Amino acid sequence: MVDSTTRIKYRPATELVYVDNSDGKGPKDNYNAASMPIYQTATFKQTSATQMGEYDYSRSGNPTRSHVENHLAKIMSAKRAFAVNSGMTALDVITRLVKAGEEVIAGNDLYGGTNRLLSFLATHNNVKTHHIDTTDAEAIIPYLSEKTRLVLLETPTNPLIKIADIPRISEIVHERCPTALVVVDNTMMSPYLQRPLELGADIVYHSGTKYLSGHHDLMAGVVGVKDDSIGEKIYFAINATGVGLGPFDCWLLMRGIKTLAVRMDRQQANAIKIADFLQAHKFKVHYPGLKTHPQYELHAKMSSGPGAVLSFETGDVDLSEKIVELTRLWSISVSFGCVNSLISMPCRMSHASIPAAVRAARAMPEDLIRLCVGIEDVDDLLEDLYHALTASGALKLAN
């Protein structure tokens, strides 16, 4: 018999939906509303001039934000979670842990916005970043030193869908640089498919705009930590800079989280079929759900699914551009994670801020097409893609 005070841990899909504030960390709702009320207020009245209540000013805290943060901490296996106003804000807050003269180690296949922020830190804050191939865990060793503060990982990476060994890299970093922190951008997987804090990472962050929200009607970022002292430093930066997520956006984020499992299951199932289709037509496909992916087994050990983002190469930049523009159902757009399917050319769009010479040095194909698969009927998506590939002449070249 289970004690009534014992916190039962359910399967991930259930945890996403089930809201439990029995630990006392979440805000109290005297009316037990099924959906947390939106406390759309900047300030809170106090009963005393000297004794402040739990909330006083929404920059510092708001019940609606506390509600979603408590839920996020649960589904991310975090000691504490924070909701901020964008994914890049989440990373910016994390990088405030780095002092001038310290160093960051990051991958060589990164989101363009991440690369832009790291470049800014180098030129303005004297924070050097070493870019390495994170698919080789041992490659990090020569760059670790007493200056190392953060090791920043994306897995899968964006847009080449490379996989980093979170447990092994975390082990190496913690053994050789005890003060360094392993940070994982888990946006592409979401907490439903992968929980880096359970794999050895110290901090995890997400663009909540993507899968957590799921509808591209919200800008949000999420940070999760497994150490209270790091959590206090993150909170200080958020409170000091005023980047906490607003009440209404917190409510939207919470609503999106509850449908994450059903959306991701459908999107992932669609993505697997589309990856198989492209591979059958002999395109070079980057997707961890394919057994031909070089880190297929590693990804399967860390995650419960391959996700719904894939990329493929055509061998010709102009051809790729034709394919993208000939699609109808696939919206030409940056970002990913929403219910609608999106198509893009990363080197022309999301990663255009990375200089062409740097992209070339990092072996990022200019012809690369990224597909962010939605929840539409997969046959319609396949037919639309087939039409674009045929009309552009790409199938003749591939076959």
Side-chain angles (χ1 to χ4, degrees):
M1 184 175 180
V2 179
D3 190 294
S4 60
T5 61
T6 302
R7 166 77 171 88
I8 301 173
K9 189 171 180 62
Y10 298 101
R11 293 171 180 82
T14 303
E15 292 283 14
L16 291 169
V17 178
Y18 179 60
V19 179
D20 179 18
N21 288 328
S22 61
D23 57 7
K25 294 181 181 178
K28 302 175 183 63
D29 174 25
N30 293 331
Y31 300 99
N32 296 316
S35 176
M36 182 66 181
I38 303 168
Y39 285 84
Q40 195 66 45
T41 181
T43 61
F44 298 82
K45 297 178 181 179
Q46 306 299 315
T47 58
S48 166
T50 56
Q51 299 294 320
M52 304 300 283
E54 184 176 357
Y55 300 98
D56 61 350
Y57 193 53
S58 280
R59 171 169 54 77
S60 302
N62 179 287
T64 314
R65 191 189 308 153
S66 296
H67 180 69
V68 73
E69 288 178 339
N70 191 52
H71 190 61
L72 283 163
K74 180 190 73 170
I75 65 173
M76 295 164 68
S77 298
K79 199 74 174 284
R80 193 171 177 184
F82 307 91
V84 294
N85 55 30
S86 76
M88 285 310 304
T89 300
L91 179 57
D92 180 60
V93 166
I94 294 168
T95 60
R96 290 172 187 270
L97 299 172
V98 187
K99 299 176 182 177
E102 293 183 327
E103 297 180 349
V104 176
I105 301 174
N108 58 9
D109 181 30
L110 289 173
Y111 168 54
T114 300
N115 190 83
R116 181 168 49 229
L117 178 58
L118 294 176
S119 297
F120 177 88
L121 293 176
T123 56
H124 291 72
N125 292 17
N126 189 28
V127 173
K128 183 177 182 179
T129 296
H130 300 281
H131 292 280
I132 67 166
D133 178 6
T134 53
T135 63
D136 178 7
E138 309 300 318
I140 198 173
I141 295 175
Y143 299 95
L144 290 170
S145 73
E146 68 280 355
K147 293 182 179 181
T148 306
R149 181 57 173 152
L150 299 181
V151 175
L152 179 59
L153 305 175
E154 286 184 16
T155 184
T157 62
N158 177 14
L160 289 175
I161 322 297
K162 297 178 180 180
I163 308 302
D165 190 336
I166 300 173
R168 179 59 183 145
I169 291 175
S170 298
E171 181 183 28
I172 291 172
V173 172
H174 294 148
E175 282 180 358
R176 295 171 180 260
C177 294
T179 59
L181 301 170
V182 177
V183 181
V184 179
D185 178 349
N186 196 44
T187 302
M188 201 175 285
M189 284 289 96
S190 85
Y192 178 54
L193 297 180
Q194 181 173 269
R195 289 167 293 282
L197 296 181
E198 295 178 0
L199 299 172
D202 302 292
I203 302 175
V204 63
Y205 73 99
H206 297 258
S207 169
T209 310
K210 313 296 194 297
Y211 287 111
L212 291 175
S213 166
H215 296 81
H216 278 184
D217 54 7
L218 166 69
M219 295 290 290
V222 171
V223 181
V225 301
K226 65 180 182 184
D227 180 84
D228 280 329
S229 63
I230 297 299
E232 284 301 316
K233 293 176 181 178
I234 294 291
Y235 172 74
F236 180 88
I238 292 171
N239 185 38
T241 56
V243 296
L245 194 63
F248 181 65
D249 287 342
C250 286
W251 183 84
L252 283 176
L253 180 59
M254 186 69 185
R255 184 174 66 167
I257 290 168
K258 291 181 179 180
T259 63
L260 173 58
V262 291
R263 286 185 283 106
M264 183 62 91
D265 284 344
R266 176 61 173 260
Q267 289 171 277
Q268 182 172 255
N270 285 353
I272 291 170
K273 291 182 179 179
I274 290 166
D276 287 339
F277 164 80
L278 289 168
Q279 190 172 65
H281 285 288
K282 299 181 173 58
F283 289 101
K284 184 176 181 180
V285 184
H286 305 273
Y287 184 60
L290 295 173
K291 290 186 178 180
T292 53
H293 190 286
Q295 291 103 26
Y296 171 82
E297 292 184 1
L298 172 61
H299 181 79
K301 289 179 182 178
M302 298 190 298
S303 308
S304 57
V309 179
L310 60 119
S311 60
F312 69 101
E313 300 173 39
T314 67
D316 185 274
V317 175
D318 293 334
L319 179 61
S320 293
E321 188 174 333
K322 288 179 183 178
I323 294 168
V324 169
E325 294 179 352
L326 280 166
T327 58
R328 297 165 183 161
L329 279 176
W330 300 80
S331 299
I332 303 174
S333 177
V334 296
S335 198
F336 58 87
C338 74
V339 292
N340 307 95
S341 292
L342 308 177
I343 190 169
S344 67
M345 290 182 66
C347 291
R348 300 282 183 89
M349 299 171 69
S350 57
H351 293 63
S353 62
I354 301 175
V358 175
R359 295 198 302 265
R362 297 178 184 175
M364 187 180 296
E366 296 290 319
D367 63 299
L368 192 73
I369 295 176
R370 189 182 71 180
L371 299 178
C372 307
V373 185
I375 66 170
E376 302 92 340
D377 189 299
V378 70
D379 289 332
D380 288 326
L381 292 174
L382 286 169
E383 288 171 8
D384 188 46
L385 192 57
Y386 180 79
H387 159 76
L389 293 170
T390 303
S392 66
L395 282 187
K396 294 178 184 177
L397 290 176
N399 295 322

